[in-house]
C-alpha cells in the first residue's frame, strides 16, 4: 500500500511537467503578448520592444521555460506581470475561495444526488422517480450562466432573500453567516448539472444491486427494508458512484470559472481568465499548476477509496 | 509659459500635504531623472517632448520642452502626470503602485484582488471638505449581477450600463441614469495604402454605404452619437459646419462605379470580440457588413481576441478593421495627430489606417507650433474638413458613457475622460 502511494505520488512529477510544458507552449504560441496588452493601442513600437526586453520576453522560449522551472523547483511561482505580486500567494489566496465554492457544490450534489437516486431506485416509476427524471434532464441541459442569472433574478432581485454576487458583504460582514448566504446561489448553480448526473447513476446502479441474490437473501432473513437498501444495497453500489463523484469534483473545479464570473466570486477561475486575457504567463501557469495538482490528487483519493469500500481491491 | 512656448513654470501651492504627511513644498527632487523617462512607455507617450525639468526654488519648477507643443497643459492633466509623494516612492520602491500616496480627496486603504478596493476620505483635502467617508469599488463583470445589486440597494453607483438595460433603468423610479458623450471615437479603419482603398472615392463610397443611424439606434440603443470625424462636435476647435456622411447607398454605388468598381469587390474586416472602448464590436460590424453587401462590397468578417487583434494590426495586412480611441482629454491634437499623422504609421505609432495626406500633416504640425488657441482652432477646423473630403476611415460614433445611481446619491457627474470621479458625490 505504501509503495503504491509513493509510486502514485512520484507519477505526479511527469504529469505536472507535461501540463506545464503544454500550457507554456500554448500561451506563448497564441498571438499577442503581455507588453502589447499592458500598453494598449497607444503604445509605440519602441516602447513595446523596451518593455518586452524588461519582461524577459525576447529570450528563446526554452530559456524562459527553464528559468521559470528553476523558480518552481524552489517553491516560487514567479511574479505576476499584470498584478506585480508573487504568483504563489495570489493563487493560493484565490484557490481557497474556489475550494469553498466547489466543496459546497460537491457536498450538495453528492448528498442530493445519492438521496434522489436511492429514493427513485426503491420506488421505480413512482411520481418521485418521474419528477426526478424530468428534473435531471432540465438540470443537465441548462447552461450554467443562464441558470445563475435566472436564480439571481428570482432570489436576489424579486424576492430579495439572498445577495446577488460577491463572497462577503461590501460593508462589514465577513463572518461565517455572511459567507453562507453569499454561497447559496453560486453553489446551487454549480451543483445543478452534477446532482442530476449523480442521481441518474445512483438510480441505475441501485436498481441493479437491489436485483442481486444477496439482497433477496437479506430480505428473506427478515432484515428491515431500510437496512437492506442502505447497508446491503447502497454500500455495494458505491464504487461507480464514487468514481463519478471524483470525476465531478474535477469537473466542478474547472466548471467553477463560469459560475465565478457570473457571481463575481473571487476564485482561481476568474483569476485565470483575467491572466489569459492579459497574457500574464507566470500567473496562468501558476493557476493551471495548482488546478492540475488538485485534479491529480482527487483521482488518487478516489482510487484509495475503492480499496476501503471494497476489501477485494488491494494495491500492491 | 515663456513667449517661445518652450518653458512652462509652475508654482506649488503652499500648505498642502500628501496622505502620508509629507509636505508638498521642498519635495522637488533636483536630480529627478526626467531625462530617463523615455524608459517608461507611458511617460514617452505623454512626456517624450520634455527636454528637462529645472528646480528654480523649493516651490517653483520649470518644464523645458524640445519643441513648442500647445497640448502640453492638457497632457499634464493625464493620470500618468499625477504628483505623488516622494517619501512613499522611496519607501515602497517598485511596489509603490500597490501603495499609492497622493494629495487627492481620498486615501488608499486596501485592495483585495478581485473583490474590492477601499478608499477613505482625506480630511485635509485642500480644495473642499469631502462629503463621503468611504468609497468601495467592486468588480462585477456579469451585467445582470451589477444591475441586481444596484436595484436591491447593495450598490450606489454602477458604470458601463449595457445598451440592453438602458431602457429598463430609465423607466425605473428607484435609480437615476446618467448619459454623456465621452472623449472617444469608434471607427472602421481602412488601409489607405492597399488597393482599392487608395482611391478616395472608394473610401467616400464606404462612408455613404453605412447606416450609422441604425447602428446607434438599434445596436447601441442610443448610447452613441453620430461621428463626423475624429473630433467631438462639442470640443473647442471642432468644425461646426461638418455633417456626418448621410446614408446614401445610391451615391455609394455611383462613386464605386466612377472609381472603376461597378460590380463592387471583396475584402476582409477584422473585429476584436471586445476591448477597451470597443462598445459592441461584433454586432456593429455585422450591420456594417450587410450595409456594404448592399452596395456590392462583399466583406469577410474575422473576429479575434483583443490581444491577438492588436498584434495582427502591426502587420499592416489589414484591409478593414474596427477600432476606437479614447483621448483622455479634449485637445484635438490628442486624437488627430497620433491616429492620422503620417509620422505615426504603425508599427511606430497608432496610425493603423496608414493614412497620409500632405496638407493634413502640414496643418497639424503648424497647429502644434502655435500656442495661440484661436489660431490652433483655425488649423484644426481645416484639418477636419480635409478628413471629410479624403476620409481615412468609415466614421461611426462617439460613445455616450452611461452610469446609474441610487436616488440617495447626489452630485455625481460624468467626466469626458471616462474616469469615474467620486469626489463630488454626497449622500442624502
Amino acid at each position: 500500500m505504501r509503495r503504491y502511494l509513493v509510486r502514485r505520488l512520484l507519477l505526479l512529477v511527469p504529469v505536472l511537467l507535461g501540463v506545464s510544458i503544454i500550457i507554456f507552449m500554448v500561451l506563448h504560441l497564441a498571438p499577442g503578448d503581455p507588453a502589447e496588452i499592458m500598453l494598449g493601442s497607444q503604445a509605440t513600437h519602441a516602447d513595446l520592444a523596451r518593455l518586452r526586453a524588461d519582461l524577459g520576453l525576447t529570450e528563446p522560449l526554452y530559456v524562459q521555460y527553464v528559468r521559470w522551472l528553476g523558480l518552481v523547483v524552489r517553491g516560487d511561482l514567479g511574479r505576476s506581470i499584470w498584478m506585480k505580486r508573487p504568483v504563489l500567494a495570489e493563487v493560493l489566496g484565490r484557490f481557497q475561495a474556489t475550494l469553498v465554492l466547489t466543496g459546497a457544490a460537491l457536498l450538495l450534489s453528492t448528498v442530493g444526488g445519492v438521496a434522489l437516486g436511492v429514493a427513485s431506485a426503491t420506488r421505480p416509476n413512482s411520481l418521485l422517480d418521474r419528477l426526478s427524471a424530468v428534473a435531471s434532464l432540465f438540470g443537465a441541459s441548462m447552461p450554467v450562466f443562464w441558470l445563475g442569472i435566472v436564480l439571481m433574478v428570482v432570489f436576489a432581485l424579486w424576492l430579495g432573500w439572498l445577495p446577488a454576487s460577491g463572497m462577503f458583504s461590501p460593508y462589514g460582514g465577513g463572518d461565517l453567516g455572511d459567507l453562507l448566504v453569499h454561497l447559496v446561489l453560486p453553489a446551487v448553480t454549480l451543483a445543478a448539472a452534477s446532482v442530476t448526473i449523480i442521481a441518474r447513476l445512483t438510480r441505475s446502479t441501485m436498481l441493479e444491486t437491489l436485483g442481486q441474490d444477496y439482497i433477496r437473501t437479506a430480505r428473506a432473513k427478515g432484515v428491515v427494508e431500510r437496512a437492506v437498501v442502505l447497508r446491503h444495497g447502497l454500500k455495494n453500489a458505491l464504487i461507480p458512484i464514487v468514481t463519478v463523484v471524483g470525476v465531478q469534483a474535477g469537473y466542478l473545479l474547472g466548471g467553477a470559472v463560469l459560475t465565478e464570473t457570473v457571481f463575481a466570486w473571487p476564485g482561481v477561475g476568474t483569476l485565470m481568465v483575467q491572466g489569459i486575457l492579459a497574457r500574464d504567463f507566470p500567473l496562468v501557469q501558476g493557476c493551471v499548476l495548482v488546478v492540475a495538482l488538485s485534479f491529480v490528487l482527487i483521482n488518487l483519493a478516489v482510487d484509495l477509496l475503492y480499496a476501503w469500500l471494497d476489501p477485494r481491491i488491494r494495491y500492491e | 509659459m515663456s513667449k517661445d512656448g518652450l518653458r512652462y513654470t509652475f508654482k506649488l501651492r503652499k500648505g498642502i500635504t500628501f496622505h502620508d504627511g509629507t509636505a508638498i513644498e521642498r519635495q522637488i527632487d533636483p536630480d529627478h531623472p526626467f531625462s530617463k523617462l523615455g524608459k517608461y512607455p507611458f511617460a514617452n507617450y505623454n512626456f517624450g517632448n520634455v527636454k528637462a525639468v529645472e528646480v528654480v526654488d523649493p516651490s517653483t519648477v520649470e518644464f523645458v520642452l524640445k519643441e513648442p507643443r500647445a497640448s502640453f497643459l492638457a497632457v499634464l492633466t493625464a493620470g500618468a502626470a499625477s504628483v505623488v509623494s516622494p517619501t512613499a516612492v522611496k519607501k515602497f520602491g517598485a511596489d509603490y503602485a500597490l501603495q499609492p500616496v497622493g494629495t487627492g480627496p481620498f486615501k488608499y486603504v486596501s485592495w483585495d484582488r478581485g473583490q474590492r478596493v477601499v478608499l477613505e476620505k482625506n480630511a485635509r483635502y485642500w480644495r473642499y471638505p469631502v462629503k463621503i467617508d468611504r468609497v468601495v469599488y467592486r468588480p462585477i463583470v456579469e451585467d445582470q449581477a451589477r444591475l441586481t445589486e444596484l436595484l436591491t440597494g447593495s450598490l450606489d453607483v454602477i458604470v458601463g450600463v449595457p445598451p440592453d438595460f438602458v431602457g429598463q433603468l430609465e423607466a425605473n423610479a428607484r435609480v437615476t441614469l446618467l448619459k454623456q458623450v465621452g472623449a472617444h471615437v469608434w471607427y472602421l479603419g481602412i488601409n489607405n495604402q492597399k488597393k482599392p482603398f487608395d482611391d478616395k472615392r472608394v473610401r467616400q463610397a464606404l462612408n455613404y454605404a453605412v447606416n450609422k443611424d441604425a447602428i446607434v439606434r438599434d445596436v447601441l440603443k442610443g448610447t452613441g452619437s453620430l461621428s463626423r470625424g475624429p473630433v467631438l462636435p462639442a470640443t473647442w476647435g471642432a468644425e461646426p459646419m461638418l455633417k456626418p456622411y448621410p446614408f446614401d447607398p445610391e451615391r455609394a454605388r455611383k462613386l464605386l462605379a466612377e472609381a472603376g468598381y461597378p460590380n463592387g469587390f471583396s475584402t476582409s474586416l477584422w473585429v476584436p470580440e471586445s476591448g477597451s472602448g470597443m462598445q459592441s464590436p461584433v454586432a456593429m460590424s455585422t450591420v456594417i457588413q450587410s450595409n456594404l453587401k448592399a452596395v456590392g462590397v462583399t466583406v469577410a468578417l474575422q473576429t479575434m481576441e483583443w490581444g491577438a487583434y492588436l498584434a495582427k494590426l502591426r502587420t499592416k495586412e489589414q484591409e478593414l478593421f474596427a477600432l476606437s480611441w479614447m483621448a483622455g482629454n479634449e485637445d484635438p491634437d490628442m486624437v488627430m495627430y497620433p491616429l492620422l499623422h503620417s509620422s505615426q504609421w504603425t508599427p511606430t505609432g497608432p496610425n493603423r489606417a496608414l493614412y497620409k495626406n500632405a496638407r493634413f500633416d502640414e496643418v497639424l504640425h503648424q497647429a502644434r507650433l502655435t500656442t495661440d488657441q484661436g489660431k490652433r482652432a483655425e488649423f484644426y477646423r481645416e484639418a477636419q474638413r480635409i478628413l471629410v473630403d479624403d476620409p481615412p476611415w468609415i466614421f461611426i460614433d462617439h460613445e455616450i458613457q452611461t452610469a446609474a445611481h441610487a436616488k440617495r446619491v447626489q452630485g455625481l457627474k460624468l467626466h469626458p475622460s471616462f474616469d469615474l470621479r467620486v469626489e463630488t458625490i454626497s449622500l442624502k
Side-chain angles (χ1 to χ4, degrees), chain B residues 48-340:
Chain B
N49 189 36
V50 175
K51 188 162 85 187
V53 181
E54 289 166 7
V55 180
V56 179
D57 65 59
S59 60
T60 312
V61 65
E62 277 186 3
F63 284 73
V64 186
L65 307 188
K66 290 177 188 156
E67 59 168 38
R69 183 76 56 85
S71 58
F72 182 63
L73 284 178
V75 165
L76 283 184
T77 64
S82 306
V83 181
V84 298
S85 163
T87 342
V89 171
K90 276 188 196 126
K91 192 166 141 202
F92 298 114
D95 285 338
Y96 170 75
L98 308 174
Q99 301 282 337
V101 178
T103 56
F106 293 96
K107 301 190 262 201
Y108 167 82
V109 178
S110 65
W111 178 8
D112 300 334
R113 295 315 140 100
Q115 286 194 68
R116 63 189 131 182
V117 171
V118 182
L119 303 182
E120 213 166 57
K121 112 179 184 182
N122 173 13
R124 287 181 306 202
Y125 185 52
W126 56 279
R127 282 173 71 191
Y128 45 77
V130 183
K131 296 185 203 110
I132 40 180
D133 295 333
R134 215 152 55 116
V135 188
V136 180
Y137 294 85
R138 293 170 59 203
I140 303 176
V141 183
E142 173 55 44
D143 295 332
Q144 182 66 49
R146 214 157 58 236
L147 192 76
T148 304
E149 297 254 0
L150 176 71
L151 292 177
T152 53
S154 317
L155 281 177
D156 288 311
V157 180
I158 62 171
V159 291
V161 178
D164 287 339
F165 289 131
V166 165
Q168 191 185 341
L169 285 181
E170 267 173 338
N172 194 309
R174 276 180 289 176
V175 296
T176 309
L177 185 78
L178 300 178
K179 284 187 186 176
Q180 189 193 303
V181 180
H184 161 279
V185 61
W186 197 104
Y187 60 92
L188 203 87
I190 304 171
N191 186 335
N192 283 248
Q193 302 305 314
K194 265 199 184 177
K195 271 193 178 313
F197 306 114
D198 54 346
D199 186 328
K200 82 174 181 189
R201 285 170 300 187
V202 172
R203 282 175 274 127
Q204 288 173 342
L206 299 185
N207 270 288
Y208 282 118
V210 172
N211 190 348
K212 294 184 282 286
D213 276 305
I215 293 175
V216 165
R217 189 187 57 228
D218 299 329
V219 179
L220 300 174
K221 315 277 183 206
T223 60
S225 80
L226 295 195
S227 145
R228 350 165 276 182
V231 179
L232 277 186
T235 321
W236 71 269
E239 167 63 62
M241 304 305 286
L242 292 186
K243 293 221 163 45
Y245 268 90
F247 174 50
D248 190 345
E250 206 38 60
R251 188 120 174 233
R253 271 189 286 264
K254 229 164 96 193
L255 279 164
L256 284 176
E258 277 173 31
Y261 302 94
N263 301 316
F265 55 87
S266 294
T267 184
S268 67
L269 165 55
W270 294 354
V271 186
E273 278 150 10
S274 63
S276 158
M278 287 310 296
Q279 303 184 292
S280 308
V282 178
M284 292 165 80
S285 300
T286 310
V287 174
I288 294 169
Q289 180 189 33
S290 71
N291 285 163
L292 293 183
K293 179 87 195 163
V295 298
V297 178
T298 309
V299 174
L301 209 70
Q302 281 183 46
T303 57
M304 289 171 228
E305 184 265 339
W306 180 240
Y309 177 71
L310 287 180
K312 274 277 259 190
L313 283 177
R314 284 178 207 286
T315 61
K316 302 195 190 178
E317 283 163 15
Q318 59 266 37
E319 292 179 343
L320 301 178
F321 59 99
L323 207 57
S324 68
W325 184 260
M326 290 194 214
N329 62 55
E330 293 189 327
D331 197 299
D333 178 74
M334 301 293 282
V335 52
M336 285 198 284
Y337 199 95
L339 287 181
L340 296 165

Side-chain angles (χ1 to χ4, degrees), chain B residues 409-423:
Chain B
V409 173
Q410 313 268 303
L412 175 64
K413 286 195 200 87
L414 293 178
H415 199 260
S417 67
F418 286 79
D419 291 345
L420 174 64
R421 309 298 291 257
V422 291
E423 66 264 38

Side-chain angles (χ1 to χ4, degrees), chain B residues 394-420:
Chain B
I394 306 178
F395 303 118
I396 306 292
D397 81 309
H398 305 289
E399 180 172 358
I400 295 181
Q401 45 176 341
T402 49
H405 63 77
K407 287 286 180 205
R408 72 178 189 134
V409 173
Q410 313 268 303
L412 175 64
K413 286 195 200 87
L414 293 178
H415 199 260
S417 67
F418 286 79
D419 291 345
L420 174 64

